[in-house]
Amino acid sequence: MNLSLRLQKIADFVPEGGSVADIGTDHAHLPIYLVQSLKNKNAIAMDVRPGPLSRAEQAITMCRLSDKIETRLSDGLTALKPGEADTVVIAGMGGALIQKILEEGRHVWDSVTDWILSPQSEIYETRHWLEDHGFAIRKEDMVLDSGKYYVVMHVTRGAMHYTEEYEYIYGRELIQHKNPVLKAFLEQEQRKLLLVKQRIQENLEECGRTVSEKNRKRNEIRLQEICAEAAELLRALEDITGGKNGH
């Protein structure tokens, strides 16, 4: 089973041995790879939708792994019992949904040893949520796959606290290890913010007398937001590069 760069990074984060539950498994590519490669002894492929779960069952049967990979219809973690999985993977969905799945899966918080999370949005909020609910990010990496950036986290129960807000926004583990993919992402985002900033400033300067007071205020507020975001981004980028960067 050949995996995408994103799924391969997630698979690399899964500890060897033990059992794995893949939440939102879709085609079950990840559990098939983990069991087929003998990294894990068995897996539970879980999905809230019957369609994807049916496709997962077909793929598992084709690979002759039905005795080692179970499929289960489940809304998040609700159908997972304590002790059934040592590692839980929740990936391929937004951070808000991952938080919801974790919140509704409190019954397995203490029995699951490792959590592999890959939020595709609301990453900043997810890091804060983990801290507030007794989870700690032990390892974090970033991968560029088909033009999109993905973050992968190895999380366990425990305490964590970051001293700077930009560490929640961009990931302290990524910043401290000077992750090259994060650096490329930050540089790309810096260029985007600069263009947006210039466009807003031009609108304010050229149309200051013709636009409504409401639109002018909206542009001013947005400009303040952009400047604040750019400042946090610059601090993260300077931590990675070890010096001054950009605008």
Side-chain angles (χ1 to χ4, degrees):
M1 173 71 66
N2 292 322
L3 299 179
S4 65
L5 293 176
R6 177 184 70 90
L7 279 180
Q8 185 62 60
K9 180 63 66 177
I10 292 170
D12 292 343
F13 267 48
V14 175
E16 292 186 9
S19 56
V20 180
D22 183 29
I23 311 303
T25 194
D26 199 15
H27 289 73
H29 289 168
L30 181 66
I32 288 173
Y33 171 85
L34 293 172
V35 173
Q36 210 169 45
S37 64
L38 304 180
K39 186 171 187 179
N40 298 94
K41 60 182 182 180
N42 54 60
I44 305 173
M46 308 175 75
D47 207 290
V48 69
R49 298 169 296 169
L53 202 64
S54 177
R55 291 193 292 271
E57 290 173 351
Q58 292 173 12
I60 292 165
T61 300
M62 287 180 62
C63 294
R64 300 180 180 179
L65 292 173
S66 299
D67 59 328
K68 295 183 179 179
I69 304 177
E70 176 190 347
T71 59
R72 190 177 298 177
L73 192 65
S74 176
D75 184 359
L77 293 160
T78 55
L80 184 68
K81 299 174 183 177
E84 286 190 305
D86 304 297
T87 301
V88 166
V89 177
I90 313 177
M93 60 192 77
L97 181 54
I98 287 178
Q99 294 167 44
K100 179 177 180 290
I101 289 172
L102 287 170
E103 181 66 44
E104 294 175 353
R106 284 176 174 267
H107 61 288
V108 295
W109 280 12
D110 294 328
S111 63
V112 173
T113 306
D114 301 278
W115 304 82
I116 311 302
L117 310 178
S118 184
Q120 295 187 345
S121 60
E122 297 99 20
I123 302 173
Y124 162 72
E125 292 85 355
T126 299
R127 293 189 182 105
H128 268 297
W129 189 94
L130 291 170
E131 176 186 309
D132 293 342
H133 291 79
F135 290 91
I137 299 172
R138 303 302 182 186
K139 180 183 176 184
E140 195 166 346
D141 207 346
M142 196 172 194
V143 62
L144 176 62
D145 187 1
S146 300
K148 293 184 179 181
Y149 290 92
Y150 299 95
V151 167
V152 182
M153 307 170 179
H154 178 193
V155 174
T156 66
R157 295 291 284 160
M160 63 176 267
H161 179 69
Y162 297 165
T163 56
E164 303 289 348
E165 201 60 25
Y166 67 86
E167 294 175 323
Y168 291 98
I169 299 172
Y170 301 111
R172 184 168 70 176
E173 286 292 310
L174 299 174
I175 295 169
Q176 288 185 341
H177 290 89
K178 303 185 184 303
N179 187 281
V181 180
L182 174 63
K183 179 176 179 290
F185 170 77
L186 292 175
E187 290 171 342
Q188 174 181 288
E189 290 301 296
Q190 188 180 50
R191 291 190 293 270
K192 289 181 180 178
L193 287 175
L194 180 60
L195 290 173
V196 174
K197 179 182 176 181
Q198 289 175 338
R199 188 158 54 246
I200 294 174
Q201 287 174 329
E202 289 170 0
N203 287 338
L204 285 170
E205 292 170 3
E206 296 175 6
C207 308
R209 295 182 179 180
T210 59
V211 299
S212 67
E213 181 68 13
K214 181 179 180 181
N215 285 336
R216 186 179 66 81
K217 284 289 185 182
R218 186 185 297 117
N219 278 331
E220 288 176 348
I221 292 171
R222 181 57 181 147
L223 183 59
Q224 291 173 358
E225 293 172 346
I226 291 294
C227 289
E229 187 177 343
E232 295 292 342
L233 187 153
L234 183 58
R235 294 183 68 192
L237 194 53
E238 286 178 355
D239 269 8
I240 291 177
T241 61
K244 296 295 180 183
N245 235 294
H247 302 268

